[in-house]
């Protein structure tokens, strides 16, 4: 998935109110960017970090920049926009590039299910059970090479696990797809110390037939691409 507008580099001044970030562009101007990430962004929002912003000229938007990437300045990037995974994954699912889900031809996003919820993707194919796919963006890394989810307590994520278990009980496929939006990680694990309730719900859901898939990404200031065959082991 290519970014619609070429990104511009900046330095982070501060992130606040979850969805706002003050930044300094290379020409010295200070701007406020939209931060499309409701999580804690642990380790990714330190003042002075090099980041990449996407400018826009949309008159309907109050903020003229969106924060898309953290540049670790060692050749690696982290994607911080939680809306990106669904856009990138939709293309990968439609191209049938994810081995565990390649048998499905029809891809429908944002389908209502459960208790006033929407599944990220509902996949269908004649002769196969429907596949309910919930997507989670993974950006936390507290140990070199290890990506973790979640980065904060997520009651919403725990609710999704229960709803996926209900779909599995109805003989559908129910899949948690963790998209690691970091290029510096090759392992994935749950951050059980951050949200024990989520980890417990994950174990229960897995015991009741919920599957999980972990995909990597290729990230640059040009865009974010799913790498379903990236070597990311989960534990």
């Amino acid at each position: 998935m290519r970014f619609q507008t070429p990104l511009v580099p900046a330095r982070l001044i501060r992130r606040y109110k979850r969805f706002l970030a003050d930044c300094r562009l290379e020409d010295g101007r200070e701007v406020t960017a939209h931060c499309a990430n409701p999580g804690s962004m642990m380790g990714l929002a330190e003042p002075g970090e090099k980041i990449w912003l996407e400018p826009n000229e949309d008159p309907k938007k109050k903020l003229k920049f969106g924060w898309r990437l953290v540049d670790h300045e060692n050749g690696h990037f982290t994607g911080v926009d939680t809306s990106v995974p669904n856009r990138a994954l939709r293309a990968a699912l439609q191209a049938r590039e994810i081995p565990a889900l390649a048998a499905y031809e029809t891809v429908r996003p944002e389908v209502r299910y459960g208790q006033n919820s929407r599944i990220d993707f509902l996949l269908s194919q004649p002769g196969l059970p429907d596949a309910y796919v919930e997507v989670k963006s993974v950006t936390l890394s507290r140990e070199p090479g290890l990506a973790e989810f979640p980065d904060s307590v997520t009651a919403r994520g725990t609710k999704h696990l229960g709803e996926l278990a209900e779909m599995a009980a109805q003989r559908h496929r129910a899949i948690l797809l963790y998209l690691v939006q970091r290029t510096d990680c090759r392992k994935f694990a749950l951050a059980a110390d951050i949200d024990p309730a989520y980890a417990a719900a994950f174990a229960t859901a897995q015991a009741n037939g919920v599957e999980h898939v972990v995909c990597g990404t290729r990230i640059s200031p040009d865009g974010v691409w799913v790498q379903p065959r990236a070597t990311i082991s989960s534990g």
Side-chain angles (χ1 to χ4, degrees), residues 4 18 42-43 49 64 69 72 92 95 103 117 152 166 181 190 200 207-208 215 225-226 228 231-232:
Q4 293 181 344
R18 288 200 299 174
M42 187 186 303
E49 280 188 324
K64 298 306 178 183
L69 305 178
H72 299 289
S117 294
S152 59
E166 291 178 10
Q181 277 206 91
L190 294 182
N208 284 285
C215 291
W225 291 270
V226 178
T231 306
I232 298 181

Side-chain angles (χ1 to χ4, degrees), residues 103-124:
Y104 293 89
E105 186 173 5
T106 302
V107 178
R108 297 166 56 203
E110 295 292 320
V111 177
R112 290 187 179 277
Y113 88 120
Q115 299 296 316
N116 297 317
S117 294
R118 290 179 182 270
I119 194 69
D120 288 316
F121 297 103
L122 176 58
L123 312 184
S124 58

Side-chain angles (χ1 to χ4, degrees), residues 119-135:
I119 194 69
D120 288 316
F121 297 103
L122 176 58
L123 312 184
S124 58
Q125 182 70 18
L128 295 177
D130 287 345
Y132 288 75
V133 182
E134 181 69 30
V135 179

Side-chain angles (χ1 to χ4, degrees), residues 19-21 32-37 53 63-68 81:
F19 301 111
L20 298 175
T32 300
H34 178 238
C35 176
N37 191 318
L53 308 178
L63 300 177
K64 298 306 178 183
F65 293 89
W67 182 4
R68 301 292 180 251
D81 184 340

Side-chain angles (χ1 to χ4, degrees), residues 101-220:
L101 302 169
Y104 293 89
E105 186 173 5
T106 302
V107 178
R108 297 166 56 203
E110 295 292 320
V111 177
R112 290 187 179 277
Y113 88 120
Q115 299 296 316
N116 297 317
S117 294
R118 290 179 182 270
I119 194 69
D120 288 316
F121 297 103
L122 176 58
L123 312 184
S124 58
Q125 182 70 18
L128 295 177
D130 287 345
Y132 288 75
V133 182
E134 181 69 30
V135 179
K136 298 299 179 188
S137 174
V138 182
T139 61
L140 174 63
S141 181
R142 296 180 290 178
E143 298 178 18
L146 176 65
E148 297 178 277
F149 183 88
D151 68 356
S152 59
V153 174
T154 173
R156 184 169 178 265
T158 300
K159 174 175 176 279
H160 288 158
L161 285 166
E163 291 173 332
L164 285 173
E166 291 178 10
M167 295 300 101
Q170 295 175 28
R171 300 186 180 278
H172 301 298
R173 285 186 71 187
I175 301 106
L176 226 309
L177 196 156
Y178 294 98
L179 187 69
V180 178
Q181 277 206 91
R182 297 189 67 114
T183 61
D184 59 356
C185 293
R186 290 294 175 264
K187 294 182 180 180
F188 168 79
L190 294 182
D193 60 315
I194 291 178
D195 192 344
Y198 182 87
F202 177 89
T204 299
Q206 194 169 43
N208 284 285
V210 176
E211 309 167 46
H212 79 280
V213 174
V214 182
C215 291
T217 48
R218 178 168 61 89
I219 302 174
S220 78

